[in-house]
Amino acid sequence: LAKTTQPISMDSYEGQEVNITCSHNNIATNDYITWYQQFPSQGPRFIIQGYKTKVTNEVASLFIPADRKSSTLSLPRVSLSDTAVYYCLVGMGYSTLTFGKGTMLLVSP
Amino acid sequence: DTGVSQDPRHKITKRGQNVTFRCDPISEHNRLYWYRQTLGQGPEFLTYFQNEAQLEKSRLLSDRFSAERPKGSFSTLEIQRTEQGDSAMYLCASSPGLVSYEQYFGPGTRLTVT
């Protein structure tokens, strides 16, 4: 399984765009990149998944460069309710999920 | 609400006691997963089922742990002779098919062993 590295924590203010970068130098050809969000005392929630270039949904955008050795989760105009832990996962999709410690995002007023 | 449900939400038990948790997945999902999460860490995989078959177990799942999914519906996770190190959040997730990267998690059962 490809190992991922992401910042332990990030701070932001309401209304700002937040970009969380994840490094995955050993990503394999068949691996997808998936991001989950977890609020305190809740289970993780799937946010977005991609293989290459850019993926956008109603919650976030995922930017993946051509070499796929990193990815960036972009949250537009964050609010206080976006305060959560964000996990970057890499895998084929046929294997079980392997979570790291994630990035704790704190959004302040 | 048609999401994944878990029962109980909280459990306090004394060391040495047995505990059992229940997970009800989303009804049309044939894959069911159990994870354990301790403070400050991401969820750690324990085991998963494809319908009623238990297909994979983590090395974290010691002999004191057993999971079942009779009839491919709900699942139970039992911990025998609990230890203080078993204190954690136990999460259940389900997914509809072979591709597992989009899993739907329940709220978890928080276990405290005193």
Side-chain angles (χ1 to χ4, degrees), chain A residues 5-109:
Chain A
T5 303
Q6 51 183 125
I8 294 174
S9 64
M10 294 184 66
D11 295 322
S12 183
Y13 293 97
E14 282 189 293
Q16 290 189 334
E17 179 184 74
V18 171
N19 296 310
I20 306 174
T21 297
C22 178
S23 298
H24 28 79
N25 292 320
N26 297 324
I27 190 168
T29 303
N30 295 330
D31 285 344
Y32 283 79
I33 300 154
T34 309
W35 286 80
Y36 275 77
Q37 173 192 55
Q38 186 175 27
F39 298 114
S41 299
Q42 293 187 26
R45 181 177 74 108
F46 173 88
I47 301 176
I48 198 166
Q49 171 257 324
Y51 183 79
K52 61 180 179 181
T53 63
K54 176 183 175 182
V55 179
T56 297
N57 62 22
E58 65 278 4
V59 176
S61 295
L62 179 59
F63 298 92
I64 306 169
D67 66 7
R68 303 199 330 120
K69 293 183 182 300
S70 67
S71 59
T72 299
L73 176 72
S74 181
L75 304 172
R77 300 182 58 78
V78 294
S79 64
L80 297 177
S81 62
D82 291 316
T83 292
V85 178
Y86 292 83
Y87 297 98
C88 167
L89 294 84
V90 173
M92 286 180 58
Y94 293 95
S95 59
T96 54
L97 299 178
T98 300
F99 290 84
K101 293 186 177 182
T103 298
M104 175 65 218
L105 172 64
L106 176 62
V107 180
S108 300

Side-chain angles (χ1 to χ4, degrees), chain A residues 36 38 44 49 87 93 95 100, chain B residues 37 41-42 45 99-101 103 105:
Chain A
Y36 275 77
Q38 186 175 27
Q49 171 257 324
Y87 297 98
S95 59
Chain B
Q37 186 174 25
Q41 305 294 319
F45 167 75
V99 178
S100 67
Y101 49 65
Q103 296 182 13
F105 283 80

Side-chain angles (χ1 to χ4, degrees), chain B residues 45-104:
Chain B
F45 167 75
L46 293 178
T47 188
Y48 87 84
F49 293 83
Q50 174 82 25
N51 298 313
E52 66 275 8
Q54 188 173 17
L55 296 186
E56 188 173 340
K57 295 193 290 186
S58 163
R59 288 174 296 176
L60 295 174
L61 212 65
S62 75
D63 292 343
R64 296 184 297 106
F65 288 69
S66 63
E68 295 182 343
R69 193 184 182 196
K71 303 179 183 178
S73 55
F74 71 93
S75 175
T76 58
L77 178 68
E78 180 183 17
I79 309 174
Q80 296 182 328
R81 304 181 303 281
T82 54
E83 302 173 355
Q84 287 188 321
D86 297 330
S87 295
M89 175 76 84
Y90 290 84
L91 294 161
C92 174
S94 68
S95 67
L98 292 177
V99 178
S100 67
Y101 49 65
E102 185 170 357
Q103 296 182 13
Y104 297 79

